[in-house]
Amino acid sequence: MDSEQIKVFLAVAQQGSFGRVAEQRYVTQRAVSRQISRLENEIGVKLFNRTNNRISLTPAGKYFAGRAQEYLNNFDLTVSELKHISKSTEQTLSIGYFSIFDAYIMEKEIINYRKLQLSPKISFFTMEESVEHCLADLVLNKLDCAYINHYGSYDIPQAELYEYVSVYSNEMVLGISKQNKLSQKKYIDENDLDGATLFYYSSENSDFMRKTFAATLNKNERNYQIERVSSIEQLLTNTALNQGISYIPRGLIDYIMQPNSEIVYRQFRSQQQNQEYAMQLIYLKNNRSCALKSFVQSLKQFRI
């Protein structure tokens, strides 16, 4: 399967006709049909229903069409970045991040580096992935550094390999719907969470984030349900509709979202620990990148 086959497939899916695509590409209808058949044979899935002079996407074809377009977009972006790298004399820095919150910090700090016009000039490449993936890619040298949230019980494998630079700190609070009677309290304790559904935000499935989240709660109290929500918009919607209580990083939520009039934020008084968190940039101690060293130095001169 190559990109040309995918482009032909998408054209047929959009036009709904082998003939029209053949005319646009100045080839025979048979040639287009052959390419589609070859693609179906390679992936082992029927993509089109063919009846007389009419074709339509199968359910698998509809799914593949969405994924195929995403693949082409990513492929074109990658090729563009490769061309930029090959022509550029700038050093590169690959940064991982796990959520919209640390993405906000990362964005501001990259912009600050550029404004300071420090040396060396850096081409920044960013990647969103789970904390586990960030740590693995740091070890594999796929990333130079990554932003993670230091909160709760911290269990990083081989933690001694990394340097940690705190770039922002505040406290975690509980987001509660005004429809919930707990919204009338000044603060929330563990007894208040009995029987509650607790939401935390993570764009990717992450055992690390779940364990960190659960570690803030009393281990003797298990009458609650912890659920991951994959977008911050859904997290706030679910909370506003009183479908659960959410963990929110105070401060950062105010930077990235408009206030939701249906949600109040309350301090959580846990027996396990305080609710402070720190966003950190981490990197391997043995990373000798000049770009990384310069970027880390710039963080010490900047505060959000």
Side-chain angles (χ1 to χ4, degrees):
M1 181 175 61
D2 56 37
S3 60
E4 184 60 25
Q5 285 177 300
I6 295 176
K7 289 177 181 178
V8 171
F9 162 75
L10 287 172
V12 173
Q14 292 164 2
Q15 296 289 338
S17 167
F18 291 141
R20 284 197 290 271
V21 173
E23 290 176 5
Q24 292 171 355
R25 291 176 170 264
Y26 302 102
V27 296
T28 66
Q29 181 172 329
R30 186 177 179 183
V32 173
S33 180
R34 254 199 323 263
Q35 275 195 292
I36 296 299
S37 295
R38 192 179 305 121
L39 175 61
E40 289 177 322
N41 289 334
E42 284 184 22
I43 64 179
V45 174
K46 186 178 180 182
L47 300 173
F48 289 98
N49 291 314
R50 300 164 174 83
T51 56
N52 298 327
N53 295 323
R54 186 178 178 184
I55 63 170
S56 61
L57 286 168
T58 65
K62 291 179 181 179
Y63 176 81
F64 184 67
R67 292 291 185 172
Q69 187 61 63
E70 182 181 338
Y71 166 82
L72 282 181
N73 292 342
N74 289 335
F75 180 79
D76 291 342
L77 178 60
T78 300
V79 170
S80 176
E81 289 177 344
L82 287 173
K83 289 179 179 178
H84 175 72
I85 292 172
S86 67
K87 295 177 182 178
S88 176
T89 58
E90 297 179 355
Q91 295 194 32
T92 62
L93 195 68
S94 299
I95 308 177
Y97 66 96
F98 86 97
S99 77
I100 192 172
F101 299 114
D102 37 325
Y104 175 84
I105 295 173
M106 176 184 68
E107 172 191 312
K108 296 301 181 185
E109 293 180 337
I110 289 176
I111 291 173
N112 176 64
Y113 186 89
R114 290 172 175 166
K115 285 181 177 179
L116 292 174
Q117 297 184 328
L118 298 175
S119 180
K121 288 187 176 180
I122 300 175
S123 289
F124 292 92
F125 298 94
T126 62
M127 183 178 299
E128 181 182 15
E129 48 187 25
S130 68
V131 174
E132 292 93 333
H133 284 165
C134 284
L135 295 174
D137 284 349
L138 285 170
V139 173
L140 293 172
N141 294 314
K142 292 182 179 180
L143 292 175
D144 292 300
C145 54
Y147 286 84
I148 62 175
N149 185 356
H150 185 163
Y151 167 64
S153 178
Y154 225 40
D155 186 20
I156 291 183
Q158 297 181 294
E160 70 280 0
L161 297 178
Y162 303 97
E163 293 285 357
Y164 305 84
V165 180
S166 292
V167 294
Y168 182 85
S169 61
N170 211 311
E171 68 171 343
M172 298 295 290
V173 292
L174 296 177
I176 303 172
S177 169
K178 287 183 177 179
Q179 302 170 49
N180 192 317
K181 62 182 181 181
L182 293 178
S183 65
Q184 304 302 316
K185 300 190 67 172
K186 291 184 177 180
Y187 64 87
I188 307 300
D189 61 31
E190 291 179 357
N191 292 329
D192 294 320
L193 299 182
D194 185 54
T197 296
L198 307 176
F199 295 128
Y200 72 98
Y201 161 67
S202 178
S203 61
E204 226 183 296
N205 278 322
S206 172
D207 287 339
F208 179 91
M209 290 303 299
R210 177 177 285 276
K211 289 176 181 177
T212 297
F213 180 75
T216 64
L217 302 169
N218 190 327
K219 292 180 172 57
N220 296 323
E221 298 290 339
R222 289 300 180 189
N223 190 24
Y224 49 77
Q225 182 176 348
I226 298 176
E227 294 184 7
R228 180 182 72 91
V229 180
S230 60
S231 76
I232 189 63
E233 293 84 1
Q234 191 63 53
L235 179 75
L236 296 180
T237 297
N238 289 356
T239 302
L241 295 176
N242 199 25
Q243 295 174 0
I245 296 172
S246 57
Y247 267 55
I248 299 289
R250 170 167 280 173
L252 292 178
I253 188 69
D254 302 320
Y255 287 122
I256 65 174
M257 299 295 292
Q258 291 293 326
N260 189 315
S261 61
E262 297 301 320
I263 299 175
V264 298
Y265 297 104
R266 297 292 182 256
Q267 288 183 313
F268 175 46
R269 297 191 177 181
S270 167
Q271 297 178 24
Q272 297 300 106
Q273 63 175 60
N274 64 45
Q275 294 300 303
E276 293 179 359
Y277 72 88
M279 288 294 183
Q280 297 179 321
L281 183 80
I282 72 168
Y283 56 92
L284 289 175
K285 291 179 179 178
N286 62 5
N287 190 322
R288 299 292 180 256
S289 165
C290 293
L292 175 61
K293 181 178 180 181
S294 184
F295 183 61
V296 170
Q297 286 298 318
S298 74
L299 304 183
K300 299 176 181 178
Q301 307 170 33
F302 178 74
R303 287 292 178 268
I304 294 176

